[in-house]
Every structure is written in C-alpha cells, then in structure tokens.
Amino acid sequence: MNYTLLYFASLRDAAGCAQESVVSEARDPGSLYADAAARHGFRMPPERVRVAVNGAFAARDVVLNDGDEIAFLPPVSGG
Amino acid sequence: MNYTLLYFASLRDAAGCAQESVVSEARDPGSLYADAAARHGFRMPPERVRVAVNGAFAARDVVLNDGDEIAFLPPVSGG
Amino acid sequence: MKTFSLSESAIDAASLGRELEREHVGAVVTFEGRVRDHNEGRAVRGLAYEAYAELAEAEGARILGEARTRFEIARALCVHRVGELALGELAVWVGVSAAHRDAAFAACRYIIDEVKSRVPIWKHERYVGGKAEWLHPWNP
Amino acid sequence: MKTFSLSESAIDAASLGRELEREHVGAVVTFEGRVRDHNEGRAVRGLAYEAYAELAEAEGARILGEARTRFEIARALCVHRVGELALGELAVWVGVSAAHRDAAFAACRYIIDEVKSRVPIWKHERYVGGKAEWLHPWNP
C-alpha cells in the first residue's frame, strides 16, 4: 500500500523530514510507526504518540486504506 | 455629643441628604441608626446596615467620641 | 499606581492591560463587568454607581493585598467606575498577571468576588418605563 | 469569524476583545498566555510554535463548541500563535463573554486547559547558551 506519513516537532527533527511517502505492507498506524521508529531511530514510545489519519484523530489499530495520510503527533505543548 | 452622619444610596434618598450634623446622647452607631431610622422613616433593618466610623468599618456597638463621623452603609452592589 | 481605584471617566482596559505586561509573566487573566441591558427580567435604560470613596479605596486596596498574599501572582489591578454609565459601558475591570494560569485565574476570581461583596459601592438602575431603584442585595 | 484560529502574526487582543462586546453581555473573561523568560529554571531566549494546522483548527473549533454547550456563554474566541515568538509576546488569547461571571470564568478556564492538552501545537524553546528543545510533556 502507498501511504504519506507526516511527522511533527521532535519526530520531524528525528526523521529529518516533515513528510515522506512509503510503500508498506502495514495495514495500521501502529505498525507504520514501529517501522518508522526503526528506520529513523525514534525514541518516543508509541503509547505517547497520537495518530491522525487524513486529518482526524484515529486509533493506532484502525485499518488503513491505500493513499491514506497518517500523522504522528508527539505530546502537545501549546499555550 | 456632636456627630456627623453619612448616608449612602437608598438611605441617602430616604434621609433626603448625604450628610447631617446631629447632637445626640447616643454613644454607639446602633443607637444613632435607630434614632435616624425613626426620624427619616428608614425601613432597612439595622442588621443589614454596615457601619463605618471615621472612614473605617466598625462594630455597631463601638463607643463613639465627640466629633466622630459615622457612615451607614446599605448592602453593597458594585461590580 | 494604585492597585484599586475609582474612576469617574471611562475605564481604559487596553492601557490597564499594558500595565500588567512583564517579560517574566506567563499568564494574564482579566475580568470585565459591563452594564447589561437587562437585570432580573427588567429592561435597563442606564445606571449609576455611587461609592463611599474614602472607604471604597481603602477596602479595595485591602482586597488586592489579600490576593497578592493568597496567590502567587505578579501584579493585580482593579478599577471601578462611579457616576453615570451607559448600556454596554465597562463598570469594573480586574487584571492579574502571574507566572502560571492557576494563580492568575484564582486571584482574578477572588478579587471580583470580594470587591462585589465588600467594597462600599452601590448600583442605581433606571428601567425602561421610568422606574429606578438602588440595588441592595440582602443575600449577596 | 472562526472561533478558533492560528495566527502567524501578532495577536491583536484589543480587537478580539471588541468582538466579544455586546450590550446584553455582563461579563467578559480573557486569558493571555505570554512567552516567559524562564521555564523550569532555564533562561529562555525565544521560542517557536509549530502546529498541525488542519487538525489544530478542527480540534480548536470542537473545544470552543464544547464550551458553548457546557456553559451559558454568549461568545468565545481563541487565537494561538504559530511561528517565531519573542519574549513577552502573546502566544495564546482566549476571551469569553456571558451574562454572568461564573460561566465566563469557567468557560475561559475550560478552553485554555483543553487547548493546551488536546490541540496539536508544539513549543520549541531556545535557551540562553544555545540549546534548544521541543516540549513534549508526558504527564500534561
């Protein structure tokens, strides 16, 4: 499947990019995060990372579709 | 004893004046209020009226001195 | 600058707000009380505030001092209008600055609550239709 | 006007405040979060906010909607800065108008608390001495 991954804040710094296109057998955001963490050396535990799919918050085990855009969101610190 | 009495808000309206000078045998604000209430027809119960003497809050039974300025303060409604 | 003051002219909230700004301050909470066009079901045409000025300023300053003692705040200011006010006008302004928002919210709330219940200021409302009344809440 | 928005330029608190003013409104509570020169004992030189803009605006609007459902308020607005900010600059502004102050205080507090904990915005602090860090509170 083809996915677009979005990284923010420290994950963006660690990945060295804000966005990447991947081709993957993974069918859920949790698996995609595990792959990305191994590839980029993310040290943030997956349970701290919220997930959004196509611009809306989503569960880590939601079933993805080809072409989905998946965002990985570290703990927020606005305000 | 000579006193200056100050009236505010509805008590001022009822008294028809903001201030009056009185000569009285009364030695405490509570007695002065009872006299003023009879004289001016105040209907506000004395327990609702706070007292200030010479610009500071005071008890209704504080002992007054000649020349004191006594203010009668209805329940407040600022804000 | 006095921490609590009475004002016979329009309150300038913007310049009061600037008084509170400091680089080390993380949070500013402000409260504005405005003249409403209704009160307890009656249409209000206008109102006036009367104060026992000497005691109001002393009691107001005492409340602001209490707020600085009770809460970890940097600065706190309060201004209350007296005299004639039009609908929508600012009647009272409270502003608090602090390092953190907990203290700023708590102190701002404390100040407006205490000012309303303790400072000798009285509201005189004029209603549509001609009646007028002093507000003397017996159960504040 | 959007109830929640992100701003790349300085927040104009005065004009936001005027948006909230209505004759029938008795109480306005505002919260301003400003860039502090210290955070957890470290001297801050400056900071930047990054947002996932699309989701931040949707989640912010959802929070403002929740506030209108939970509390009896007239209007509520929130603006959050993104990009580079200098010390003392306004980072976030929340304003709520209501007939009564209880609702205005509660809603203002609700909005800033929820915005801080739910909206995808991240703070990047630069410290005196050269270090810099993303703030990712794990126990918010």
Side-chain angles (χ1 to χ4, degrees):
Chain A
M1 313 280 266
N2 292 282
Y3 302 114
T4 302
L5 307 185
L6 306 181
Y7 302 114
F8 290 94
S10 64
L11 292 181
R12 179 168 55 71
D13 285 359
C17 64
Q19 176 171 339
E20 64 179 347
S21 297
V22 298
V23 178
S24 169
E25 297 304 303
R27 295 303 308 268
D28 61 87
S31 308
L32 281 171
Y33 182 77
D35 294 347
R39 195 162 66 244
H40 297 300
F42 294 165
R43 284 172 306 176
M44 185 167 292
E47 67 272 19
R48 299 298 176 186
V49 177
R50 286 193 83 177
V51 168
V53 176
N54 301 328
F57 288 119
R60 270 187 294 270
D61 60 358
V62 70
V63 177
L64 295 169
N65 296 304
D66 189 51
D68 279 351
E69 178 185 85
I70 299 96
F72 296 117
L73 314 171
V76 301
S77 50
Chain B
M1 312 284 264
N2 292 283
Y3 301 114
T4 301
L5 307 185
L6 305 181
Y7 303 115
F8 291 93
S10 64
L11 292 182
R12 180 169 54 71
D13 285 358
C17 64
Q19 176 172 343
E20 63 181 345
S21 298
V22 298
V23 178
S24 170
E25 296 304 304
R27 294 303 307 269
D28 62 87
S31 306
L32 281 170
Y33 182 78
D35 293 347
R39 199 161 64 246
H40 297 301
F42 293 165
R43 282 171 306 175
M44 185 167 291
E47 67 273 18
R48 298 300 178 186
V49 178
R50 285 194 83 178
V51 168
V53 176
N54 302 328
F57 288 120
R60 270 187 292 269
D61 60 358
V62 71
V63 176
L64 296 168
N65 296 305
D66 189 49
D68 278 351
E69 180 184 85
I70 299 95
F72 297 117
L73 315 172
V76 303
S77 49
Chain C
M1 187 174 185
K2 286 189 286 188
T3 56
F4 178 89
S5 54
L6 299 173
S7 174
E8 293 182 7
S9 54
I11 297 173
D12 182 351
S15 84
L16 288 164
R18 282 192 295 274
E19 281 288 316
L20 294 179
E21 288 173 21
R22 295 285 171 89
E23 280 196 6
H24 62 277
V25 151
V28 173
V29 173
T30 68
F31 172 81
E32 295 183 4
R34 291 186 173 272
V35 178
R36 285 188 294 161
D37 58 2
H38 278 79
N39 190 15
E40 292 176 7
R42 291 202 280 185
V44 174
R45 202 155 51 87
L47 60 71
Y49 284 103
E50 174 181 323
Y52 180 12
E54 178 187 1
L55 182 53
E57 293 192 340
E59 189 70 358
R62 196 171 297 129
I63 290 166
L64 276 281
E66 291 166 8
R68 282 191 304 277
T69 303
R70 286 167 180 249
F71 308 102
E72 290 214 7
I73 61 178
R75 295 196 73 188
L77 295 171
C78 178
V79 180
H80 201 296
R81 270 295 297 281
V82 289
E84 292 289 329
L85 277 76
L87 295 185
E89 259 199 289
L90 199 43
V92 58
W93 185 93
V94 181
V96 176
S97 61
H100 299 286
R101 69 188 189 284
D102 271 341
F105 272 104
C108 188
R109 185 65 202 256
Y110 178 81
I111 291 165
I112 186 59
D113 286 356
E114 295 298 306
V115 165
K116 285 176 80 95
S117 68
R118 289 162 51 184
V119 174
I121 298 173
W122 299 272
K123 187 191 294 189
H124 185 254
E125 286 185 341
R126 298 187 307 280
Y127 305 103
V128 172
K131 289 207 171 184
E133 201 171 89
W134 288 102
L135 276 75
H136 291 320
W138 286 3
N139 298 300
Chain D
M1 185 174 191
K2 285 190 285 190
T3 56
F4 177 90
S5 52
L6 299 173
S7 173
E8 293 182 8
S9 54
I11 297 173
D12 182 351
S15 84
L16 288 166
R18 283 192 294 275
E19 281 287 315
L20 293 178
E21 290 173 18
R22 296 283 172 89
E23 280 197 4
H24 63 276
V25 153
V28 173
V29 173
T30 68
F31 171 81
E32 294 183 4
R34 291 184 173 275
V35 179
R36 285 188 293 161
D37 58 2
H38 279 78
N39 190 15
E40 292 175 7
R42 293 201 278 185
V44 175
R45 205 156 48 88
L47 59 72
Y49 285 102
E50 173 181 324
Y52 181 12
E54 177 185 3
L55 182 53
E57 293 192 339
E59 189 70 358
R62 196 171 297 130
I63 290 166
L64 277 280
E66 291 166 6
R68 283 191 303 277
T69 303
R70 286 167 180 248
F71 307 103
E72 290 214 6
I73 60 179
R75 295 196 72 187
L77 296 171
C78 178
V79 180
H80 201 297
R81 270 296 297 282
V82 290
E84 292 289 328
L85 277 76
L87 295 185
E89 259 199 289
L90 198 44
V92 58
W93 185 93
V94 181
V96 176
S97 62
H100 299 286
R101 71 187 185 286
D102 271 341
F105 271 104
C108 187
R109 184 66 202 256
Y110 178 82
I111 292 165
I112 186 60
D113 287 355
E114 296 297 308
V115 165
K116 284 174 81 93
S117 69
R118 289 164 49 187
V119 174
I121 298 174
W122 298 272
K123 187 192 294 191
H124 185 254
E125 285 186 341
R126 298 187 308 278
Y127 305 103
V128 171
K131 290 206 170 185
E133 200 171 90
W134 288 103
L135 277 74
H136 291 320
W138 285 4
N139 298 301

